[in-house]
Amino acid sequence: MRYDHLVVATGAHAILPEIPGVDREGIFILKDLKDGIDIKSFIEEKRCSKAIIVGAGFIAMELSEGFTSRGIETSIVYRKDLPLSRWDPELSRFVLKELSANGVSFIPGESPVAVEKGSGSHLRLVTDAGEQEGDIIVFALGVRPNTKMAREAGLATGASGAIRVDFSQQTSREGVYAVGDCCEAYHLISREWVNLPLGDIANKQGRVAGRNIAGFPAAFPGVVGSQSLKVFALEAAATGLDERASERAGYDPASTIVWGGPAARSMNDARKLGLKLVADRKTGRLLGAQAVGQGGAVWRINTLSACLCSGMDLDTIGYLDLAYSPPFGGSWDLIHIGAQVLKKAL
Amino acid sequence: MRYDHLVVATGAHAILPEIPGVDREGIFILKDLKDGIDIKSFIEEKRCSKAIIVGAGFIAMELSEGFTSRGIETSIVYRKDLPLSRWDPELSRFVLKELSANGVSFIPGESPVAVEKGSGSHLRLVTDAGEQEGDIIVFALGVRPNTKMAREAGLATGASGAIRVDFSQQTSREGVYAVGDCCEAYHLISREWVNLPLGDIANKQGRVAGRNIAGFPAAFPGVVGSQSLKVFALEAAATGLDERASERAGYDPASTIVWGGPAARSMNDARKLGLKLVADRKTGRLLGAQAVGQGGAVWRINTLSACLCSGMDLDTIGYLDLAYSPPFGGSWDLIHIGAQVLKKAL
């Protein structure tokens, strides 16, 4: 087909480990709508009562809540010690407690080696340290960009493995654009081109490419890595860089974690909220933030995302004018407290 | 008393109209803890069943919820047509519906003229257009800064009527500081010194004055006028300037209101959320925002407060990297949609 403009929107594919038995019936990934429908049909048809999820990122968390809400006993098998490895262990432990409180068993430190036929109609997931049986196994190990066609056509890819684009979403070839999970985005804090396969970024990139093709120039300003999820009664959210990523990006990071609640203490609200802030020792600039709480985590991270986007420092954040009201926070919000505590530690 | 440093923290007093009968038993204001305790004792002692609130700001809203939760029939008498006059009529009407749905009657367009003895043990509030009877009347008409002592001592006051301070919280006299409801704060968007009697601002100013007195210099960066409240199941929040205040401050404002929900449409969540944005036609800079919703209003205003503090424009806000997840918003959040709609209208 001839074209004036071409948009590559090939997306990403879910990672499936190359282990024996991974093609057995009852093994799924969850990437697109069809996967969701297939999983739903399978658990209804086979009346599944026991599910195994491999991986512990946001798809695994959401899936564990979904399975549990249908009365399916759920285990999460993960190679690391704690779920949501993007978050600080202190915050991830809070998530782990929430999983346990909702009957999800978390099996840490195990990697899948094979899937075999188990007892009865069960599948058996064999790991490097044990084995688990269940009716259904979902691999939630993240995604990789679909770049085969683009690479074969000679389009450049970046260090992330995804298709290289400029701020107009144009690839290395004029007139050819790439958008979404298959391409890179500029990270405003690490100052690197990264691949962050998230739906909101894909939407924005699609719009920018569309505008440029239609003759209404636009630039995608870039990302700060904001992300959130709900897992049972918890909110988890993060933005920017953690200490390791900050160091890799040439910063000299310091961090703190402060605990409080989503509302003012005067509300006698027992809900908990933990907030981690990461900042640069040299400039005092905020580099990243993470929060997990029984409410109130997402908005604090969104507010701090806006602070990150404008390069705000801890002094300004420590006195940021927020819409104070006891049901939504203290007169000193956890954002202010965190910024002031961290400022002292720089 | 001799002093090295003096801090004026005389606060504000609630406005009580100068009308006949305003000193009768059963008439209250709600400014400090003692007022709250007095109201509580009175309604318990007198077994109040009918309350009248004069005014329709955030104290009136919170009070109407408090009375109603104790089974007290509550009327709000207000000189204007809609409650929460800081918010756009389209958003205030949403608040009015919430009041009605919870049995609070809103009596618009009436100003108090006198309080008389009513039938039985009732008080009678006479207005310029009618009369209301009740066991208790609370005047919630806002506050004025307590500046008498400061003025008598020769400290300068500003156009707002409150004590003039600099960014270190020092008054017109060296060594004398003022903090809280009695003094002014610099508004970053109107670029004027204003009096915003809010607890979070008072806390920040107190800390800044304390630091300067103790020899750890600090400057209060100023305010953008962020404010929030809960009224029954609604959240209301606002920040920055509305059109009128924008014009007064020399801007050329345009505005839009967009409606959606606190969560993504895919969540089948029937809750509503309205967001108003105000921006400057010349620069595209955000000038203010208001939101009212069945959830999700406060965090959007806090995020936009951070945008305001850094002078962000609609182009940047329209592509702001927020922590997207369906329980908390769409992949295009109402913030993005509002910014893009308003951008087109500039």
Side-chain angles (χ1 to χ4, degrees), chain A residues 262-282:
Chain A
R265 272 184 299 180
S266 57
M267 299 301 287
N268 286 323
D269 179 346
R271 293 177 301 161
K272 285 179 71 180
L273 170 67
L275 176 68
K276 175 175 179 165
L277 297 181
V278 182
D280 182 40
R281 288 182 195 276
K282 257 173 296 206

Side-chain angles (χ1 to χ4, degrees), chain B residues 30-318:
Chain B
L30 178 53
K31 173 64 183 71
D32 56 28
L33 185 59
K34 187 179 173 301
D35 296 329
I37 293 167
D38 288 349
I39 291 173
K40 215 165 157 181
S41 305
F42 186 83
I43 58 178
E44 280 164 8
E45 201 180 294
K46 306 284 179 178
R47 300 178 185 212
C48 293
S49 63
K50 174 91 181 71
I52 300 168
I53 300 168
V54 183
F58 69 100
I59 295 293
M61 295 297 107
E62 291 171 349
L63 204 49
S64 73
E65 187 178 340
F67 281 144
T68 304
S69 73
R70 288 173 162 258
I72 299 171
E73 192 190 330
T74 304
S75 299
I76 293 175
V77 174
Y78 190 44
R79 63 187 171 88
K80 298 189 181 175
D81 284 344
L82 288 165
L84 292 181
S85 59
R86 180 179 177 179
W87 279 257
D88 191 279
E90 191 174 324
L91 299 174
S92 293
R93 271 194 288 273
F94 194 18
V95 174
L96 178 58
K97 274 174 69 177
E98 182 72 7
L99 291 175
S100 304
N102 285 280
V104 176
S105 59
F106 182 79
I107 298 151
E110 298 194 17
S111 290
V113 169
V115 182
E116 301 172 349
K117 198 194 152 329
S119 55
S121 62
H122 273 184
L123 290 165
R124 180 184 300 130
L125 178 77
V126 183
T127 72
D128 52 1
E131 54 182 52
Q132 299 295 324
E133 293 212 352
D135 307 298
I136 180 171
I137 301 175
V138 185
F139 286 96
L141 298 168
V143 299
R144 288 219 183 91
N146 293 328
T147 57
K148 190 166 176 284
M149 193 183 74
R151 279 184 287 116
E152 285 171 3
L155 299 183
T157 52
S160 74
I163 300 168
R164 190 179 288 171
V165 291
D166 63 16
F167 288 98
S168 75
Q169 296 302 132
Q170 194 171 254
T171 65
S172 56
R173 188 173 308 160
E174 211 185 317
V176 180
Y177 294 79
V179 299
D181 294 1
C182 66
C183 77
E184 296 189 324
Y186 184 73
H187 195 297
L188 293 162
I189 312 302
S190 72
R191 294 168 294 205
E192 278 174 348
W193 289 85
V194 294
N195 177 234
L196 289 176
L198 294 167
D200 55 332
I201 297 175
N203 267 279
K204 288 168 186 156
Q205 292 178 325
R207 188 180 179 95
V208 167
R211 285 190 59 120
N212 286 311
I213 289 169
F216 299 95
F220 182 47
V223 301
V224 291
S226 304
Q227 185 184 2
S228 69
L229 67 138
K230 174 183 169 295
V231 49
F232 296 100
L234 286 190
E235 296 181 12
T239 188
L241 309 178
D242 60 15
E243 295 93 321
R244 222 172 44 174
S246 296
E247 273 167 19
R248 270 203 311 269
Y251 296 105
D252 181 10
S255 75
T256 193
I257 297 180
V258 288
W259 286 90
R265 272 184 299 183
S266 57
M267 301 299 288
N268 286 323
D269 180 347
R271 293 177 301 160
K272 285 179 71 181
L273 171 67
L275 176 68
K276 173 175 180 166
L277 297 182
V278 182
D280 182 41
R281 290 183 194 275
K282 257 174 295 205
T283 60
R285 250 185 69 179
L286 183 71
L287 298 173
Q290 305 168 3
V292 173
Q294 290 156 323
V298 173
W299 84 245
R300 279 157 180 103
I301 293 302
N302 276 328
T303 301
L304 291 165
S305 296
C307 296
L308 268 183
C309 284
S310 60
M312 226 178 253
D313 66 16
L314 294 178
D315 284 328
T316 309
I317 296 168

Side-chain angles (χ1 to χ4, degrees), chain A residues 168-224:
Chain A
S168 75
Q169 296 302 132
Q170 193 171 255
T171 66
S172 56
R173 188 173 309 161
E174 212 185 316
V176 180
Y177 294 79
V179 299
D181 294 1
C182 67
C183 77
E184 295 188 325
Y186 184 72
H187 195 297
L188 293 162
I189 312 301
S190 74
R191 296 167 293 205
E192 277 174 348
W193 288 86
V194 295
N195 177 236
L196 288 176
L198 294 167
D200 55 333
I201 298 175
N203 267 279
K204 288 168 187 156
Q205 292 178 326
R207 188 179 179 94
V208 168
R211 284 189 59 118
N212 286 311
I213 289 169
F216 300 95
F220 181 46
V223 300
V224 292

Side-chain angles (χ1 to χ4, degrees), chain A residues 54-273:
Chain A
V54 184
F58 69 100
I59 295 292
M61 296 296 105
E62 290 172 348
L63 205 48
S64 73
E65 187 178 340
F67 281 145
T68 303
S69 73
R70 289 174 161 259
I72 299 172
E73 191 191 330
T74 303
S75 299
I76 292 174
V77 174
Y78 190 44
R79 63 187 171 86
K80 297 188 181 177
D81 284 344
L82 288 165
L84 292 181
S85 58
R86 180 178 175 180
W87 280 257
D88 191 278
E90 193 175 323
L91 299 173
S92 293
R93 270 193 290 273
F94 194 19
V95 174
L96 178 57
K97 274 174 69 178
E98 183 72 7
L99 291 175
S100 303
N102 286 279
V104 176
S105 60
F106 182 79
I107 299 152
E110 297 194 17
S111 290
V113 170
V115 181
E116 300 172 351
K117 195 191 154 333
S119 53
S121 63
H122 274 185
L123 290 165
R124 179 185 299 129
L125 178 77
V126 182
T127 72
D128 51 2
E131 54 182 55
Q132 300 294 324
E133 293 213 350
D135 306 298
I136 180 170
I137 300 175
V138 185
F139 286 96
L141 297 168
V143 299
R144 288 217 184 92
N146 293 328
T147 57
K148 190 166 177 286
M149 193 183 74
R151 279 184 287 116
E152 285 172 3
L155 300 183
T157 53
S160 73
I163 300 168
R164 190 179 288 173
V165 290
D166 63 17
F167 288 98
S168 75
Q169 296 302 132
Q170 193 171 255
T171 66
S172 56
R173 188 173 309 161
E174 212 185 316
V176 180
Y177 294 79
V179 299
D181 294 1
C182 67
C183 77
E184 295 188 325
Y186 184 72
H187 195 297
L188 293 162
I189 312 301
S190 74
R191 296 167 293 205
E192 277 174 348
W193 288 86
V194 295
N195 177 236
L196 288 176
L198 294 167
D200 55 333
I201 298 175
N203 267 279
K204 288 168 187 156
Q205 292 178 326
R207 188 179 179 94
V208 168
R211 284 189 59 118
N212 286 311
I213 289 169
F216 300 95
F220 181 46
V223 300
V224 292
S226 303
Q227 187 184 359
S228 69
L229 66 139
K230 174 182 170 294
V231 49
F232 296 100
L234 286 190
E235 295 182 11
T239 189
L241 309 178
D242 60 15
E243 295 93 321
R244 224 172 45 175
S246 295
E247 274 168 19
R248 270 203 310 268
Y251 296 105
D252 181 10
S255 76
T256 192
I257 298 181
V258 288
W259 286 90
R265 272 184 299 180
S266 57
M267 299 301 287
N268 286 323
D269 179 346
R271 293 177 301 161
K272 285 179 71 180
L273 170 67

